[in-house]
Amino acid sequence: LAPCSLSDPHRAQIRVVRDIEHEHFLRNWLLSETDSVLTSHQLGEIAFTRLKSLEYGSALAPKGSPGQRRIRIGYGTTQTNLAAQTAESLVKACSGAQLIHIPGVHAKIMADPNRALISSYNFLSADPFGHAKRSRELGLLIEGGMIPALVHRTFEKRLTT
């Protein structure tokens, strides 16, 4: 593939993301300074660990940073042992991110205006640490070009209406 060129809206770099690599991208995304959207089919107990990164990101932000990034997180269902109110209180405490229940959502994406990860991986409920032995996850990371901005706008709109 050609190198990513953010100045050329028609060029993008695409790579495959496999299994536990999703965790690396999720953590880096949550620690970044860009406005982001994230959707996950299911909200599970692992969400508590993953969303703690939001606290670290705000702690690392320079004092007096202009504006604050927006993070919107959408999910379709909760695991049966998880109270949605508990998860909402955690997310509200984490740097002002919004947790939005959208019944029926099954999409699994992370997106900001410059990159999008579209995947089979449930970002807020998957088990990447070996408990689900036969589970394999696959995603596509798209950086640059027009697609990430389109994905970001589409899901941002969906998470605000």
Side-chain angles (χ1 to χ4, degrees):
L1 293 174
C4 177
S5 171
L6 298 179
S7 61
D8 183 350
H10 302 291
R11 295 194 79 119
Q13 185 174 357
I14 300 172
R15 69 164 279 196
V16 172
V17 177
R18 294 179 47 209
D19 299 325
I20 199 157
E21 287 181 306
H22 288 85
E23 285 298 304
H24 166 77
F25 285 104
L26 176 60
R27 189 165 318 272
N28 286 341
W29 224 298
L30 292 173
L31 290 171
S32 75
E33 296 180 8
T34 58
D35 289 353
S36 301
V37 294
L38 181 147
T39 64
S40 185
H41 163 64
Q42 191 172 62
L43 187 67
E45 290 203 21
I46 194 72
F48 293 106
T49 303
R50 293 184 178 138
L51 295 176
K52 278 300 213 182
S53 295
L54 294 173
E55 287 180 351
Y56 304 135
S58 60
L60 294 172
K63 300 288 186 227
S65 295
Q68 187 170 350
R69 68 184 179 138
R70 283 187 316 216
I71 299 176
R72 293 193 173 97
I73 301 167
Y75 68 97
T77 64
T78 58
Q79 289 178 338
T80 54
N81 58 346
L82 181 71
Q85 297 84 357
T86 305
E88 286 178 28
S89 64
L90 170 72
V91 173
K92 286 178 184 173
C94 293
S95 194
Q98 295 176 301
L99 182 68
I100 302 150
H101 179 223
I102 306 170
V105 76
H106 198 79
K108 298 151 198 111
I109 63 109
M110 286 191 308
D112 65 37
N114 298 311
R115 58 195 171 156
L117 177 55
I118 304 165
S119 181
S120 63
Y121 188 76
N122 280 304
F123 295 102
L124 299 178
S125 65
D127 172 25
F129 303 111
H131 299 108
K133 299 288 184 209
R134 297 185 310 173
S135 179
R136 294 292 177 255
E137 305 293 346
L138 187 66
L140 289 178
L141 176 65
I142 306 163
E143 295 179 292
M146 299 182 303
I147 294 172
L150 177 63
V151 171
H152 180 256
R153 276 195 313 270
T154 300
F155 280 91
E156 188 172 55
K157 183 177 179 183
R158 177 79 164 116
L159 294 171
T160 56
T161 56

